[in-house]
Amino acid sequence: MAHNHQHGHDHSHHHHGPPADGNFGPAFAWGIALNLLFVAGEAAGGLWANSSALLSDAGHNLSDVLSLALAWGASLLAKRRASERYTYGYKGATIQAALLNAALLYLALGFILWDTINHLRHPEPVNGTVVMGLAGLGILVNGFTAWLFRHGQKGDVNVRGAYLHMLTDMLVSVGVVVGGALVYFTGWHWLDPAISFVILAVVGVGSWGLLRETVQLSLQAAPADIDVAAVRRWLLARPGVSSVHDLHIWPLSTQDTALTAHLVRPGGQNANVFLRELQHDLLHEFNISHCTVQLEDDLPLMGAHGCCDQQVAPAASGR
């Protein structure tokens, strides 16, 4: 049985990745600095105005600061060179950071929920003017920070996490402004903790997809935007390929995807050209940037490989 291996690793042609330089350092720095200042002001204002909605929003914004810091640190680690020990480099740090960020978010929501329940049981007067002023500032801060990450949020779950957190916070701040106005004009102070419950629900539901995706990535599941069955069909349709087995697709990081596969291609004509074109097409068709493909003349012995094979349907089937 003849074997041929081809490795490809090219970061220059991602369909949905961040800008060519992939440099979100300034965006992270601006986001962290602005949100730290805003958290300090919002927490002080929440204590002074006796607003659980402001305090809950401040707590969530503080978790966003930690999230931005972890995501930034992981993105810096991912750029470090591979070593003899870490042969893939430190790209996996972005997945671990995304998972930790999602877990910390829900932990923060739990503490905020507890505080909100206490305020609902013992409602106290709220300064609606202060609430509206600080929440209005939050709309500007969070809206600007989300804008900084708008270009990279489709190709990297770390960047998308930062974008969605900031966008959600902006919308939540709009809700706090509305709530502050209602308290100011109606005097119904119970509205403040009630709005806090709405904030918690919005953030919790809005972040669930991010948590689910980061758990899947940490388990080396194929990225959500890649249809493994479609990749298998595409490989089977390559010239001369009669069978595909041991196909594995997994994330190297929140941005890079790897593939290994064994292709049965009797005769193996023009193997080098075939593999170069395969590497190029996998990158452009499926955004798979690192591929390892083994060509074989025949099917392996039964039980020699961990995954079942699939073969091209006979010509008589009409395909």
Side-chain angles (χ1 to χ4, degrees), residues 248-267:
H248 302 280
I249 302 174
W250 74 99
L252 292 175
S253 69
T254 55
Q255 188 179 348
D256 301 294
T257 302
L259 171 148
T260 60
H262 292 225
L263 307 183
V264 177
R265 189 171 181 263

Side-chain angles (χ1 to χ4, degrees), residues 38-245:
F38 180 60
V39 164
E42 196 171 32
L47 291 172
W48 184 57
N50 199 28
S51 169
S52 63
L54 274 180
L55 289 175
S56 66
D57 198 35
H60 177 58
N61 274 288
L62 183 60
S63 74
D64 284 344
V65 171
L66 179 58
S67 175
L68 289 172
L70 284 171
W72 190 10
S75 68
L76 294 176
L77 273 177
K79 295 178 182 179
R80 294 184 60 178
R81 293 178 178 273
S83 65
E84 291 295 325
R85 182 70 172 178
Y86 297 94
T87 55
Y88 276 127
Y90 297 84
K91 297 179 182 296
T94 57
I95 297 175
Q96 296 174 13
L99 180 60
L100 181 57
N101 280 332
L104 287 174
L105 172 61
Y106 279 91
L107 182 62
L109 291 179
F111 282 112
I112 295 168
L113 177 61
W114 178 260
D115 181 71
T116 301
I117 291 174
N118 286 333
H119 277 76
L120 188 60
R121 292 172 58 190
H122 308 287
E124 298 178 7
V126 175
N127 189 323
T129 304
V130 174
V131 171
M132 288 188 289
L134 284 173
L137 179 61
I139 295 174
L140 297 177
V141 171
N142 292 317
F144 175 71
T145 307
W147 179 80
L148 292 175
F149 293 103
R150 70 195 185 283
H151 288 308
Q153 54 97 13
K154 291 184 178 180
D156 189 326
V157 71
N158 259 342
V159 177
R160 183 161 72 254
Y163 174 80
L164 290 177
H165 276 292
M166 296 301 108
L167 187 62
T168 299
D169 284 349
M170 183 188 72
L171 297 176
V172 166
S173 294
V174 172
V176 173
V177 169
V178 173
L182 290 174
V183 170
Y184 180 79
F185 288 110
T186 66
W188 297 345
H189 299 292
W190 58 268
L191 279 174
D192 182 72
I195 291 170
S196 187
F197 277 118
V198 175
I199 292 174
L200 291 171
V202 169
V203 175
V205 172
S207 303
W208 178 251
L210 185 66
L211 175 63
R212 181 178 57 191
E213 184 175 358
T214 55
V215 169
Q216 291 172 344
L217 291 177
S218 69
L219 295 174
Q220 294 189 322
D225 60 343
I226 293 182
D227 185 342
V228 178
V231 174
R232 187 185 296 275
R233 289 193 299 269
W234 184 86
L235 290 171
L236 281 169
R238 296 308 93 200
V241 175
S242 62
S243 177
V244 176
H245 63 94

